[in-house]
Amino acid sequence: MKDNWFFKLLIVSCSIWSATALNSAWRWECIGGFCQKRRINNSTETGAISLSVCQIFCSNNAALWPKPTGKVSVGNYLLPINANSIDIAGIAATAPSVSILRHAVQRLRQQTEQKGSAKARNKGGRAAFFYFDIADTSIVDPVLRIDESYSLFVSESSSGSLNVTIKAQNAFGARHAIETFGQLVVHDDLRDELVVPRDVEVEDAPVYTYRGLTLDTSRNFISVEAIKRNIDAMAASKLNRFHWHITDTHSFPFYSKSQPQLSKLGAYSPKKVYMPDQIEDIVEYARVRGVKVVPEFDAPAHVGEGWQDSGFVVCLNKQPWELYCVEPPCGQFDPTEDGLYDVLGDIYGDMFELFKPDIFHMGGDEISFSCWRSEEKILNWLNARGWNSSSEEENFTKLWNLFQTKAIAQLDFKAKTTLPIIMWTSELTRKENIQKYLPKDRYVIQVWTEGSDPQIKDLLDANYTLILSNYDALYLDCGFAGWVAGGNNWCSPYIGWQKVYSNSPYNISAGRTDQILGSSAALWTEQVDDSSVDGRFWPRAAALAEILWSEPKTTWREAEPRILIHRERLVRDTGVNAEALEPEWCLQNENNCPQN
Ligand SMILES: *[C@@H]1O[C@H](CO)[C@@H](O)[C@H](O)[C@H]1NC(C)=O
Ligand SMILES: *[C@@H]1O[C@H](CO)[C@@H](O)[C@H](O)[C@H]1NC(C)=O
Ligand SMILES: *[C@@H]1O[C@H](CO)[C@@H](O)[C@H](O)[C@H]1NC(C)=O
Ligand SMILES: *[C@@H]1O[C@H](CO)[C@@H](O)[C@H](O)[C@H]1NC(C)=O
Ligand SMILES: *[C@@H]1O[C@H](CO)[C@@H](O)[C@H](O)[C@H]1NC(C)=O
Ligand SMILES: *[C@@H]1O[C@H](CO)[C@@H](O)[C@H](O)[C@H]1NC(C)=O
Ligand SMILES: *[C@@H]1O[C@H](CO)[C@@H](O)[C@H](O)[C@H]1NC(C)=O
């Protein structure tokens, strides 16, 4: 597939190009699979090619991101497209998932309009009609393991319009095809025209089913608007899971209908609360973009603000914090408090109602035994039950297990079904504990330790299913100033997109990819809020998107020209403030910047 692209001869023909003066002093030539910038000698050169057109015909995989896993074939003929005339032709209006397709085509129309100038939009061009062939039109939620494959065909119909034919197993595969088509619609800025290649065939399917971003909204609040912007960028990159670490010790921004005092006491301000209608809005916004929200209620550690009056939290802001938790302020549930579990049940119930999750995250990381040890009340309780076995660790592991057992009983009661549960790696997921405490048919383990952690092999050997968020490649908050000390923060240095791109699940699992559900790149927001959230995620999250969609056997070097192109798309089409990776000169002179 790639080799064809490398040696492809660039003969682009276009029905609209005429000998009118061009807007630019530059045109592009395809040399060895890379677009190169050249001066225009004659302002009416008819064959002069713009950068955006060159990228489609010359860059590998038609400059698509993430790169398709099957056939990519693009002819060498361009047609002008009319942004005001992009419509659906072939699908029954009554099909349950038709609204997903309508939404995606509407989004395409808006993005196409934004690409060109007003003049380009009003120049006319061909109408485009979408014909859908969807095997199962009843799927209306992008749940785990649905088949997201698609094929896309673009041709010119006998009436001269563009025929965009999409085949997929369900609307979410078809939605991906519309994203792919959108990447092929470009603005030719030499002639100020919106154009699209005429003869296209793409066959595509993702390698992993769980392709996510993890966002913390407790350390700092992130607005609904910023969350939506990032979901848009996810959709444009074919990511499909928004893992929402909504609460933590620092603040409790989740409005629980049954326990409203939690956000009243625990939010940073009355404005920094996610109200039920806002959460439903985000869940729906994500759904029509093929993204499923995974709510997390992290416990028994990572709780504090909001619980002041409950009597269920110990070590709240206990100092010196280093002794009782990993970062200030400390806070942890006291599992011996019986009243705690009804309140947890209320929170789970409220979350299920709003998120309608297909998998739920119970957190479970960084439990501090020294916090529990510092509480006389807890020690007495343990002693009273004779839970003072020969090892202290065993005492507390039992206590932790008691918490997890009682919490999940509440969860199951509220869910009225047995949802799969995600838990972070912890003491409980270690080889000697996990099979005793967390049955593999129920729990998916999200790995946050290093990619080389031997625990990964242990978990795979014990037949657990994993999600990878190994901090050495997927913690996007690493590499900034320290905030509990001088110097840099704990997981420095900064993780470049190349490192994200090299974090292959295939390599990490030693080829046991059937046990890897996928990965999620995490953004912990101690040092991030609305003003920088976009740039921390993007374009590095796009590097993750391609690794998970395509599991490429090639290196970041092959992807470099395309990620520069995709970064431009993200900024222009989704409004996300993705960071620049290189000087624009490198975008305009492909393959001239990275060393060989
Ligand atoms: C443009 O001019 C340069 C220098 O005179 C020449 O080398 C090049 O071949 C010309 N290009 C075309 C497309 O005529
Ligand atoms: C510029 O190109 C046009 C179209 O190819 C040609 O008709 C014209 O003679 C050229 N002019 C010069 C000065 O080379
Ligand atoms: C559109 O293209 C598809 C696939 O190439 C073809 O089967 C179909 O007949 C075409 N439909 C029209 C209306 O041109
Ligand atoms: C364990 O608990 C029993 C019953 O309360 C008590 O008699 C014993 O001293 C405790 N042992 C330790 C090591 O704390
Ligand atoms: C746990 O076990 C150790 C070792 O027997 C004992 O010293 C300790 O008192 C126990 N802790 C609690 C909280 O009972
Ligand atoms: C894991 O699954 C394999 C294949 O089904 C099986 O042979 C093996 O015994 C299982 N291992 C454990 C620890 O359950
Ligand atoms: C996977 O491992 C192989 C062998 O160690 C290495 O050559 C390759 O670069 C790795 N792939 C990625 C994406 O890191």
Side-chain angles (χ1 to χ4, degrees):
M1 171 171 76
K2 181 180 163 229
D3 296 337
N4 296 343
W5 282 99
F6 251 91
F7 301 105
K8 184 168 172 144
L9 212 60
L10 195 70
I11 316 166
V12 180
S13 27
C14 182
S15 62
I16 48 154
W17 288 356
S18 56
T20 52
L22 301 173
N23 290 334
S24 166
W26 302 98
R27 63 185 165 77
W28 274 261
E29 264 175 33
C30 184
I31 297 172
F34 298 99
C35 295
Q36 305 297 332
K37 196 177 182 182
R38 296 281 186 266
R39 281 289 292 273
I40 287 176
N41 296 350
N42 175 343
S43 71
T44 59
E45 261 184 49
T46 49
I49 289 175
S50 69
L51 176 59
S52 59
V53 169
C54 183
Q55 286 165 339
I56 286 181
F57 291 102
C58 174
S59 301
N60 71 62
N61 295 282
L64 295 171
W65 191 283
K67 67 176 165 184
T69 51
K71 180 173 182 178
V72 181
S73 161
V74 177
N76 54 20
Y77 203 88
L78 282 169
L79 290 178
I81 181 169
N82 184 345
N84 302 317
S85 187
I86 298 176
D87 284 300
I88 295 180
I91 187 155
T94 53
S97 62
V98 74
S99 62
I100 304 285
L101 304 174
R102 285 221 182 91
H103 180 272
V105 169
Q106 168 69 16
R107 186 168 180 268
L108 170 77
R109 206 181 290 137
Q110 280 167 358
Q111 292 185 344
T112 304
E113 284 174 7
Q114 281 166 25
K115 281 176 186 172
S117 62
K119 193 171 145 220
R121 271 200 302 286
N122 294 323
K123 265 192 182 168
R126 311 295 181 90
F129 292 105
F130 280 81
Y131 298 88
F132 292 104
D133 175 356
I134 299 199
D136 184 347
T137 57
S138 70
I139 296 179
V140 294
D141 206 13
V143 295
L144 278 179
R145 297 197 170 89
I146 57 166
D147 183 339
E148 295 171 89
S149 64
Y150 69 85
S151 50
L152 166 71
F153 307 89
V154 183
S155 58
E156 186 178 358
S157 73
S158 50
S159 66
S161 60
L162 275 159
N163 167 351
V164 185
T165 295
I166 289 170
K167 294 195 173 121
Q169 292 305 306
N170 54 62
F172 295 102
R175 203 208 65 81
H176 291 314
I178 297 168
E179 294 287 348
T180 300
F181 178 76
Q183 294 190 3
L184 296 171
V185 177
V186 296
H187 179 233
D188 174 353
D189 59 1
L190 261 54
R191 297 170 186 80
D192 201 8
E193 294 270 351
L194 290 163
V195 293
V196 64
R198 184 188 63 182
D199 307 304
V200 176
E201 198 179 335
V202 177
E203 304 272 354
D204 200 6
V207 176
Y208 296 98
T209 190
Y210 190 106
R211 304 184 304 278
L213 297 185
T214 296
L215 179 65
D216 165 16
T217 56
S218 168
R219 271 58 177 265
N220 276 304
F221 184 79
I222 307 289
S223 69
V224 171
E225 193 182 34
I227 290 175
K228 285 182 168 178
R229 208 164 53 229
N230 281 279
I231 290 172
D232 258 311
M234 291 178 72
S237 307
K238 303 190 175 83
L239 288 168
N240 66 0
R241 287 275 154 177
F242 171 50
H243 166 201
W244 193 351
H245 181 91
I246 190 164
T247 63
D248 210 294
T249 319
H250 304 67
S251 76
F252 198 100
F254 173 70
Y255 179 87
S256 160
K257 193 175 66 183
S258 349
Q259 299 288 338
Q261 77 286 358
L262 292 169
S263 56
K264 196 165 181 187
L265 289 176
Y268 281 127
S269 81
K271 278 186 173 170
K272 294 185 174 174
V273 175
Y274 302 106
M275 296 305 288
D277 59 326
Q278 292 176 310
I279 291 176
E280 282 174 330
D281 182 28
I282 288 173
V283 169
E284 175 62 8
Y285 192 89
R287 183 184 71 89
V288 297
R289 285 164 179 75
V291 176
K292 183 81 183 157
V293 183
V294 182
E296 175 178 355
F297 181 66
D298 197 355
H302 294 283
V303 293
E305 290 289 334
W307 296 89
Q308 288 90 340
D309 295 346
S310 69
F312 303 147
V313 167
V314 289
C315 311
L316 184 53
N317 195 21
K318 194 162 181 152
Q319 297 285 353
W321 62 264
E322 294 94 311
L323 299 183
Y324 309 105
C325 62
V326 296
E327 70 179 64
C330 298
Q332 196 156 287
F333 281 138
D334 174 355
T336 70
E337 286 288 341
D338 284 334
L340 166 63
Y341 301 97
D342 285 337
V343 177
L344 289 183
D346 283 348
I347 297 172
Y348 297 141
D350 292 341
M351 283 188 162
F352 293 153
E353 199 181 315
L354 298 173
F355 291 101
K356 302 186 174 57
D358 60 337
I359 189 164
F360 190 82
H361 205 309
M362 293 183 80
D365 58 322
E366 298 182 319
I367 279 62
S368 163
F369 289 170
S370 61
C371 161
W372 281 340
R373 189 194 300 120
S374 72
E375 290 292 320
E376 195 68 34
K377 182 174 82 165
I378 294 178
L379 296 183
N380 291 342
W381 189 93
L382 287 174
N383 266 309
R385 272 156 195 76
W387 284 17
N388 51 5
S389 62
S390 57
S391 105
E392 179 186 51
E393 190 170 317
E394 200 179 316
N395 305 349
F396 288 124
T397 307
K398 261 182 159 167
L399 182 65
W400 184 353
N401 178 54
L402 172 93
F403 171 81
Q404 185 58 29
T405 308
K406 286 190 157 187
I408 204 170
Q410 283 291 337
L411 187 143
D412 288 347
F413 176 67
K414 293 292 172 158
K416 299 185 190 76
T417 167
T418 312
L419 279 176
I421 300 296
I422 306 175
M423 297 267 284
W424 293 106
T425 42
S426 67
E427 300 287 312
L428 224 49
T429 64
R430 275 169 35 184
K431 191 155 97 178
E432 57 276 25
N433 289 331
I434 190 160
Q435 279 166 309
K436 196 152 86 194
Y437 298 123
L438 305 174
K440 68 172 190 305
D441 300 333
R442 187 71 203 272
Y443 288 94
V444 170
I445 308 302
Q446 188 163 359
V447 175
W448 69 272
T449 53
E450 290 181 15
S452 59
D453 183 354
Q455 190 181 180
I456 295 173
K457 183 172 184 304
D458 292 342
L459 288 167
L460 292 170
D461 286 348
N463 292 341
Y464 282 82
T465 302
L466 309 182
I467 294 167
L468 300 175
S469 295
N470 51 303
Y471 79 81
D472 53 332
L474 294 176
Y475 270 25
L476 302 183
D477 50 310
C478 301
F480 293 85
W483 63 278
V484 293
N488 291 349
N489 65 17
W490 73 278
C491 58
S492 292
Y494 180 87
I495 294 163
W497 75 270
Q498 299 94 328
K499 176 110 195 205
V500 177
Y501 198 87
S502 305
N503 191 60
S504 140
Y506 183 91
N507 274 16
I508 290 175
S509 68
R512 294 158 75 174
T513 50
D514 51 337
Q515 280 173 259
I516 306 288
L517 207 55
S519 298
S520 195
L523 186 53
W524 305 106
T525 54
E526 284 90 349
Q527 299 173 281
V528 181
D529 65 8
D530 269 22
S531 63
S532 51
V533 60
D534 296 9
R536 288 285 201 288
F537 268 135
W538 305 96
R540 292 183 294 170
L544 175 77
E546 178 152 304
I547 281 289
L548 294 174
W549 183 277
S550 324
E551 183 84 73
K553 297 287 173 272
T554 45
T555 67
W556 66 266
R557 191 64 177 74
E558 184 261 7
E560 185 262 355
R562 281 182 303 110
I563 201 169
L564 300 185
I565 297 166
H566 192 60
R567 184 267 172 185
E568 301 299 303
R569 274 182 207 129
L570 288 171
V571 172
R572 184 196 55 220
D573 300 342
T574 72
V576 84
N577 294 303
E579 285 189 344
L581 293 173
E582 297 179 28
E584 187 165 357
W585 190 90
C586 304
L587 177 77
Q588 296 197 347
N589 297 271
E590 287 188 340
N591 201 37
N592 277 271
C593 293
Q595 296 175 325
N596 276 309

